[in-house]
Amino acid sequence: QANLIGSLQLIEAARAAKVSRIVFVSSCAVHDKILDDRPLDETHPTWSASHYGAYKAAVEQFVYSFGLGHDYPICAVRPTGVYGLEHPIERSKWFDLVGEVVRGNPVTCDSGGKEVHAADVARAIGLLLQADEKEICGQVFNCYDRYVSKYEVATLAKQHSGSESSIHGQATTPKHQIETEKIRSLGMNFGGDAQLEETIAALVRAHEAR
């Protein structure tokens, strides 16, 4: 009721109030089962293993129907895992891992995830709010920068802190990469390596200031 029906009611209320455009924030959680025989782009089937992902995928179907069937300028953006500096900073992704490295403690890193910086998500939404209506109406857009392994995070933290922490494990890589050409074609650029390093450096400084 709160999520699915609430979202549909919000869209209907926005239409009735003549809101000029809606960008629905979906999620890469729509993809749990991924096929090996095709790109992981916006045309890939959505099969989720969670009710959260199923909810997002369900609303995406209404993005199609409102946009393609009723010419309402609505679209959806699909962020992956989102990182950045939160407030308070202790809530930031990788905060504890960076802290262990800064203190010189040994760490083991054997996982990672597909990530995008919060600033990039905001920039993508702003872009979709300003893009030509014909380019976004009834469309879904992936929002993903790069895969980040915890091993890389720990290594960057060690470099920026001068710590003698021993990092065990190895850098991991994704089996499937999410395609982002669709949103890039509208002019989107992601922060990439520089933005990741800047974030880790800020987390290091936060721990050193304690």
Side-chain angles (χ1 to χ4, degrees), residues 16-178:
K18 302 189 183 305
V19 171
S20 61
R21 186 170 301 194
I22 290 179
V23 178
F24 173 70
V25 180
S26 186
S27 168
C28 70
V30 300
H31 293 301
D32 278 313
K33 180 178 180 181
I34 300 173
L35 301 173
D36 295 326
D37 63 348
R38 67 197 70 192
L40 185 50
D41 61 13
E42 291 84 354
T43 68
H44 191 286
T46 53
W47 291 312
S48 177
S50 68
H51 291 334
Y52 172 78
Y55 148 64
K56 294 292 191 180
V59 177
E60 285 184 5
Q61 293 301 313
F62 286 94
V63 167
Y64 298 139
S65 64
F66 277 113
L68 303 178
H70 297 275
D71 295 321
Y72 185 58
I74 183 173
C75 64
V77 62
R78 278 186 196 149
T80 55
V82 179
Y83 78 96
L85 302 181
E86 295 203 32
H87 301 284
I89 199 168
E90 292 84 357
R91 296 174 56 189
S92 303
K93 186 172 286 187
W94 310 309
F95 181 83
D96 291 340
L97 172 60
V98 169
E100 290 297 311
V101 174
V102 170
R103 290 187 290 273
N105 297 329
V107 295
T108 300
C109 305
D110 54 9
S111 63
K114 298 181 177 76
E115 304 288 346
V116 62
H117 195 280
D120 284 338
V121 178
R123 189 157 46 247
I125 292 171
L127 179 66
L128 294 173
L129 287 171
Q130 298 297 323
D132 188 305
E133 182 177 306
K134 294 178 181 178
E135 297 289 334
I136 63 93
C137 189
Q139 299 297 313
V140 175
F141 297 87
N142 289 335
C143 186
Y144 163 61
D145 185 4
R146 48 162 295 176
Y147 183 88
V148 179
S149 72
K150 289 184 178 179
Y151 189 92
E152 181 181 13
V153 170
T155 300
L156 286 171
K158 183 174 181 176
Q159 292 171 355
H160 281 275
S161 65
S163 152
E164 296 185 358
S165 170
S166 55
I167 305 171
H168 304 285
Q170 60 184 356
T172 53
T173 57
K175 183 178 180 181
H176 304 94
Q177 281 284 10
I178 298 174

